[in-house]
Amino acid sequence: MTEKEQFLGQLERELPTTMRVLRAYPAAKADLKPHARCKSAKELAWMFVTEQKASEQALDGGIEFGKMPKAPATLPEVIATYEQSSKAFVERIKRTPEVELNKTVKFFVAPKQMGDMRKMDLLWFMLMDSVHHRGLPPHGRRQGALDLRAVGGRALDVAGR
């Protein structure tokens, strides 16, 4: 099994779990922040979209952080955008030749320092960062804003169901 196949397998397992966590989150609590320094659930969900966009830009040869799309107004719109962008992202990875994934792109390698990062490593980093911020069911807890139980959301099992 190639690294690309491993990545696609992991991506295709994580995306449905993230969708279930997002759909279980009460839309009325989308702007709740457990602490002033934390992101809201809507902001975290939009971060998943921008991480996919950054990954796509990396595949094109360079990430333009200032050219990320603006978030829609509501959590349901963010979720719909994430669902669409996820499907497109999976297809994009499938079409990308493995040799391209082993090329490098500029990305943060230390605070305020850019350096070369292999595209495949960047894809793994972005995927695992989204899992970290999404949290792991049943609590959907990691960053705090997606803590389903704390906001009256439906608790999910370990598999995110």
Side-chain angles (χ1 to χ4, degrees):
M1 177 181 290
T2 68
E3 185 178 12
K4 176 181 168 179
E5 292 168 335
Q6 290 174 344
F7 178 79
L8 278 167
Q10 189 67 39
L11 180 64
E12 290 174 330
R13 282 187 297 278
E14 297 298 345
L15 291 174
T17 301
T18 301
M19 285 302 302
R20 286 189 294 274
V21 169
L22 291 174
R23 286 186 181 127
Y25 200 91
K29 307 264 178 127
D31 293 318
L32 176 73
K33 292 184 177 187
H35 188 278
R37 289 186 290 170
C38 293
K39 292 185 182 304
S40 69
K42 188 176 91 178
E43 291 168 331
L44 280 173
W46 189 247
M47 186 179 69
F48 302 155
V49 174
T50 60
E51 286 183 334
Q52 286 179 347
K53 296 298 179 198
S55 296
E56 290 174 5
Q57 288 179 357
L59 293 175
D60 292 336
I63 301 172
E64 298 181 58
F65 294 100
K67 293 194 175 184
M68 293 297 161
K70 298 290 182 208
T74 68
L75 182 60
E77 291 172 309
V78 170
I79 293 169
T81 302
Y82 177 68
E83 185 171 31
Q84 286 179 320
S85 71
S86 294
K87 290 175 185 174
F89 183 57
V90 169
E91 292 307 312
R92 175 69 190 273
I93 300 297
K94 287 179 180 178
R95 289 191 317 268
T96 303
E98 189 116 13
V99 67
E100 184 65 29
L101 297 173
N102 285 308
K103 293 180 180 176
T104 61
V105 65
K106 295 290 183 199
F107 192 68
F108 294 102
V109 294
K112 300 179 184 179
Q113 182 180 344
M114 301 292 277
D116 288 331
M117 181 179 275
R118 194 173 64 108
K119 292 178 183 182
M120 193 76 244
D121 293 335
L122 183 124
L123 294 176
W124 279 112
F125 172 80
M126 293 293 194
L127 176 60
M128 293 299 103
D129 188 62
S130 69
V131 170
H132 158 77
H133 287 288
R134 172 199 75 204
L136 301 172
H139 306 289
R141 184 179 310 168
R142 179 54 100 212
Q143 277 298 96
L146 290 183
D147 187 343
L148 296 172
R149 289 183 179 171
V151 295
R154 184 179 63 81
L156 304 176
D157 67 16
V158 169
R161 290 182 231 122

